[in-house]
Amino acid sequence: MEYLAIGVNLILATLPHILVSSIITILTLVKDNDSFKKKIFILLFSSLVVISPDILKIMSILSSHSLWLVPILGLILSFIYVQLNNENKLNKVWMIFSLIILFGHIFIDFIGNGARLFYPFIKDDFEYTIINKIDLLFIAILMTSFILLFFYKKKTAIVITSLSIIGLYLGALTVSKMHLEYTLKKEFKDEDIVLLITYPDDDFNWEFQVRTERLIVTGESPINKTNIKIETRTEID
């Protein structure tokens, strides 16, 4: 059961990457008159494209999530794609695959668990965490958008609605996070804040940690509310 749970969590954690790449692919590479078989091939290949940074990471290539590798990886995979798909639009596919890697993987990691954007020049992770590693609501929004775009022709209303809902959800989380951090800074304005961390948990709450020169405070706050609950308050000797 433990291995099954790990497998399910891995699939759920990978789904946002694949769904974002599939949405970009539907909007750019897939044509309405393509056969079902061709659509599936293109979507499967784009899924390989979007998870390619993690494949390289498994191979101990730590620069796989660096911004400078995005166009290089996009070029390699686009060359393979045009050969397999008998296409001659290398520049177009290169740009699309680079966007898929950038937004479908690097950006999702950036707003999730972080990414080494400038490795090896800067070895620190960069992140602005607004989604949990397994954000079921985010997955549901992406899945619904993909289904609408795949099974219905790319009508302007569907495209605008799908992208707007995704943007509104991420925007709402960003505003909520910014408001919490502002409130915490105001709450501890008399202290010299050394570190302030906020991140989502599994129960649609923000977890936070505030470190000052004298205190370490942890707690939580609902994402859709403004009240703060302090759980621990430790004085530093």
Side-chain angles (χ1 to χ4, degrees):
M1 291 297 293
E2 181 180 352
Y3 290 109
L4 178 60
I6 293 173
V8 171
N9 287 338
L10 181 61
I11 291 171
L12 290 174
T14 306
L15 265 179
H17 297 299
I18 293 176
L19 288 170
V20 170
S21 76
S22 297
I23 290 171
I24 295 173
T25 302
I26 285 288
L27 294 174
T28 55
L29 282 179
V30 175
K31 300 180 180 65
D32 288 334
N33 59 354
D34 284 340
S35 66
F36 182 80
K37 182 178 179 181
K38 185 173 182 179
K39 288 180 180 179
I40 295 300
F41 168 78
I42 297 173
L43 289 169
L44 287 175
F45 198 95
S46 71
S47 297
L48 173 65
V49 171
V50 81
I51 65 172
S52 58
D54 280 344
I55 294 175
L56 293 179
K57 187 176 181 180
I58 293 172
M59 298 167 61
S60 298
I61 301 177
L62 298 180
S63 59
S64 62
H65 289 67
S66 296
L67 292 175
W68 65 267
L69 191 63
V70 170
I72 298 174
L73 196 54
L75 178 60
I76 294 171
L77 292 169
S78 61
F79 180 78
I80 297 172
Y81 173 84
V82 297
Q83 298 300 314
L84 293 175
N85 208 34
N86 296 320
E87 291 194 13
N88 56 2
K89 299 179 180 178
L90 179 61
N91 289 338
K92 176 184 176 182
V93 177
W94 178 17
M95 181 183 69
I96 293 170
F97 281 2
S98 296
L99 288 174
I100 285 174
I101 296 170
L102 180 61
F103 288 101
H105 199 110
I106 307 299
F107 176 71
I108 295 298
D109 277 0
F110 175 72
I111 63 173
N113 58 344
R116 294 185 177 184
L117 300 180
F118 304 104
Y119 188 91
F121 310 106
I122 301 176
K123 297 183 179 180
D124 295 332
D125 283 348
F126 289 81
E127 51 85 17
Y128 189 75
T129 307
I130 58 174
I131 61 172
N132 194 20
K133 189 174 183 180
I134 301 175
D135 189 322
L136 295 179
L137 181 55
F138 187 44
I139 291 172
I141 292 171
L142 293 174
M143 180 71 75
T144 303
S145 299
F146 168 68
I147 291 172
L148 288 173
L149 292 169
F150 183 82
F151 288 102
Y152 296 91
K153 291 186 177 181
K154 296 191 288 291
K155 294 180 180 179
T156 303
I158 294 177
V159 174
I160 293 175
T161 301
S162 298
L163 297 182
S164 296
I165 292 173
I166 295 170
L168 285 172
Y169 179 65
L170 295 180
L173 291 177
T174 301
V175 170
S176 177
K177 180 184 178 78
M178 292 174 64
H179 185 271
L180 172 61
E181 292 180 352
Y182 170 79
T183 304
L184 289 170
K185 288 176 182 178
K186 189 176 180 180
E187 178 77 16
F188 295 93
K189 64 180 180 179
D190 295 331
E191 305 281 349
D192 292 323
I193 297 178
V194 177
L195 180 67
L196 173 59
I197 302 173
T198 57
Y199 53 92
D201 64 12
D202 296 329
D203 299 317
F204 215 64
N205 294 316
W206 294 112
E207 299 281 342
F208 66 82
Q209 181 181 123
V210 180
R211 293 190 184 188
T212 71
E213 293 182 351
R214 297 181 301 170
L215 293 170
I216 299 177
V217 180
T218 64
E220 67 177 22
S221 174
I223 286 178
N224 60 337
K225 296 181 181 179
T226 57
N227 55 303
I228 293 173
K229 178 183 177 183
I230 294 177
E231 297 178 337
T232 65
R233 189 183 186 99
T234 306
E235 292 189 7
I236 301 175
D237 294 332

